[in-house]
Amino acid sequence: MRVRGGGRTATVAAILLLATACARGADPAVAPQRAPGTPTTPATPDAGKAALAEAAKSLAALMSAPGPVVCSRSGDHWQAAAYDDAFRTRTAHFSSATIEPHLMEVAAKAGGDEASVRGLCEAGVSSVSPDGRRVAVEVGLADSTGTRVGWLDLGTGVFTDVTATSNKKGYVSRTFTDEKPGFAADGSFWFLRDHQEYVSADPTGRLTPRQLSLACFGRRGDDTYHHVVKSVAVLCPGGVVHPSGRFAAASRGVAQWLSTVQGFQLDLIAKKVDRYSDAPDFKPFAMQVAVRDDGEWRDCTPVTWLDATDLLCAGASNDYYTVAVDPALARGDLEHVQSTKVKVKAEIAPATETPIISVAVSRDRRSLIIAAGDDEAGTAKLYRASLVTPGDPVEIGPVPAELRENLALRRS
């Protein structure tokens, strides 16, 4: 059993790990479970409480960090570190190994073979609550019949099993398969139920079915990670949702003359359904946008909105630039395919043959942080490109050695 980034270890391995932990003496990893709304169980041993308290402190600092947050993975564990804007001083750090003993206990009590928490820099709803106190946990059941979800409270060590509360046994039994858990910006807990509908839970565990937007629907390889926009589950990457929450810049090929150029279309968030199976065979028409620069077509993969009109694009040659988009182009009355053209507004980072590992916009929206190079060879470096006064990206420094494996920047 492990904190996973994919795959599942054998049940036997989990039993051996638990046996080893017990042989060492007092277990600092007690993570009792409770049904939502019931009183908490007695406190964990001092060592366990101290580890959880330190984890909560570190995660709270990471969630509010003003500078870059970098994630990486080493073996079965992911870690995240926050730095100042100059990337010289580490201000916070967390490793999932810190809470692994508690996850082992959660899995054992739930009858599972592993309990996992997604990495802080992975796409979708956050695996950590905004205050850093709770982590979203998915438990894989030992009999492979499904998964269940809940949250581990780092303040009490208590695991709230949301799925178990919904399951019913008796004359009519009902069990659910829940997955893809995470927290919205307001602290509510969201997950996907039975591969069909999204559900949220408040801190007491009370459940509310949520609707699914058709924006970006069916255009991603893994569309079950989501974001929350005005109480609606949205499959678009978070940055491409317009600041108004009304529409998103969904990446797609746009037909122009006799060719197709990589562009985007403006999908309205308000077009929504209750379940995946309710999605229509034909999605609503949306305005398609292509970029025309100096008489040539230019590929644009949307990265993030910088404000109400400026959209940051990634080009086909590791270049980055902005375009100005009129929000009025996002319409719900289109009866056939329509497209328009926009021009490049500002060049942010020029084309380069250097591999781009990850990018993120700074919290103040004034800089683009770029991780580029070969992280395995130890040549990965961080660069800063101004979004206010465009020019050549400035090197910040090398990526610290301990963060080079599976490097990713957290997109705020």
Side-chain angles (χ1 to χ4, degrees):
M1 190 281 309
R2 58 188 176 90
V3 180
R4 62 174 178 145
R8 180 168 294 173
T9 55
T11 305
V12 174
I15 297 173
L16 290 176
L17 285 171
L18 284 171
T20 302
C22 293
R24 290 174 181 168
D27 181 8
V30 177
Q33 301 180 69
R34 64 178 176 89
T38 61
T40 59
T41 55
T44 58
D46 290 344
K49 290 180 63 177
L52 289 176
E54 186 61 31
K57 180 180 178 181
S58 298
L59 288 173
L62 286 167
M63 296 299 289
S64 61
V69 174
V70 185
C71 297
S72 64
R73 180 173 293 278
S74 178
D76 293 339
H77 303 122
W78 60 266
Q79 60 178 328
Y83 294 84
D84 61 2
D85 282 339
F87 209 79
R88 291 187 177 89
T89 303
R90 192 172 77 176
T91 59
H93 177 265
F94 171 82
S95 170
S96 62
T98 305
I99 61 173
E100 184 176 16
H102 299 267
L103 295 179
M104 292 173 63
E105 184 72 12
V106 166
K109 287 183 176 293
D113 61 357
E114 74 171 344
S116 61
V117 176
R118 290 172 47 245
L120 189 59
C121 295
E122 293 185 35
V125 284
S126 174
S127 59
V128 181
S129 62
D131 60 3
R133 182 183 173 98
R134 295 179 292 161
V135 292
V137 181
E138 180 174 314
V139 180
L141 301 184
D143 58 5
S144 299
T145 58
T147 53
R148 60 174 59 178
V149 300
W151 64 76
L152 175 63
D153 189 314
L154 302 179
T156 63
V158 172
F159 175 64
T160 299
D161 193 329
V162 174
T163 306
T165 305
S166 299
N167 291 339
K168 300 183 184 303
K169 295 181 179 180
Y171 182 71
V172 178
S173 298
R174 182 79 187 273
T175 58
F176 297 94
T177 293
D178 295 333
E179 58 186 332
K180 316 298 184 186
F183 296 94
D186 64 357
S188 58
F189 180 81
W190 287 61
F191 58 93
L192 178 64
R193 169 154 286 181
D194 291 339
H195 314 295
Q196 279 293 322
E197 64 178 334
Y198 286 95
V199 180
S200 71
D202 65 17
T204 69
R206 183 168 59 93
L207 302 183
T208 302
R210 299 295 186 178
Q211 289 187 301
L212 168 65
S213 174
L214 292 177
C216 304
F217 195 92
R219 300 194 188 106
R220 297 180 63 201
D222 180 8
D223 62 3
T224 52
Y225 285 125
H226 57 283
H227 294 267
V228 177
V229 180
K230 297 182 178 179
S231 298
V232 176
V234 179
L235 302 179
C236 308
V240 303
V241 176
H242 190 263
S244 67
R246 194 173 69 87
F247 64 93
S251 180
R252 68 160 298 132
V254 180
Q256 292 293 328
W257 300 103
L258 298 178
S259 62
T260 299
V261 62
Q262 176 61 47
F264 55 93
Q265 72 178 29
L266 304 177
D267 284 357
L268 294 177
I269 302 297
K271 305 285 187 178
K272 50 188 183 289
V273 293
D274 292 330
R275 300 165 57 87
Y276 272 90
S277 58
D278 294 334
D281 292 332
F282 299 97
K283 309 302 185 296
F285 290 110
M287 181 64 73
Q288 299 180 5
V289 183
V291 179
R292 186 80 167 174
D293 183 36
D294 292 334
E296 301 291 336
W297 298 113
R298 191 160 174 182
D299 284 355
C300 169
T301 299
V303 177
T304 189
W305 292 91
L306 301 178
D307 53 37
T309 59
D310 288 5
L311 177 68
L312 179 66
C313 290
S317 302
N318 290 337
D319 52 310
Y320 292 89
Y321 62 92
T322 61
V323 294
V325 181
D326 182 358
L329 291 172
R331 297 159 48 192
D333 59 349
L334 300 182
E335 297 181 354
H336 57 83
V337 176
Q338 294 188 38
S339 64
T340 189
K341 297 182 287 293
V342 296
K343 297 180 179 179
V344 173
K345 180 176 180 179
E347 300 286 355
I348 303 302
T352 177
E353 295 180 354
T354 302
I356 303 297
I357 302 170
S358 183
V359 299
V361 173
S362 62
R363 192 177 288 269
D364 62 10
R365 318 298 286 176
R366 296 176 63 85
S367 302
L368 177 66
I369 308 300
I370 304 173
D374 187 341
D375 55 342
E376 292 184 359
T379 60
K381 294 181 179 180
L382 285 167
Y383 298 85
R384 183 188 306 278
S386 176
L387 296 170
V388 180
T389 56
D392 288 339
V394 177
E395 182 179 326
I396 301 175
V399 175
E402 68 272 14
L403 295 173
R404 287 177 185 158
E405 188 175 351
N406 299 307
L407 171 69
L409 293 169
R410 182 169 187 258
R411 298 190 179 189
S412 56

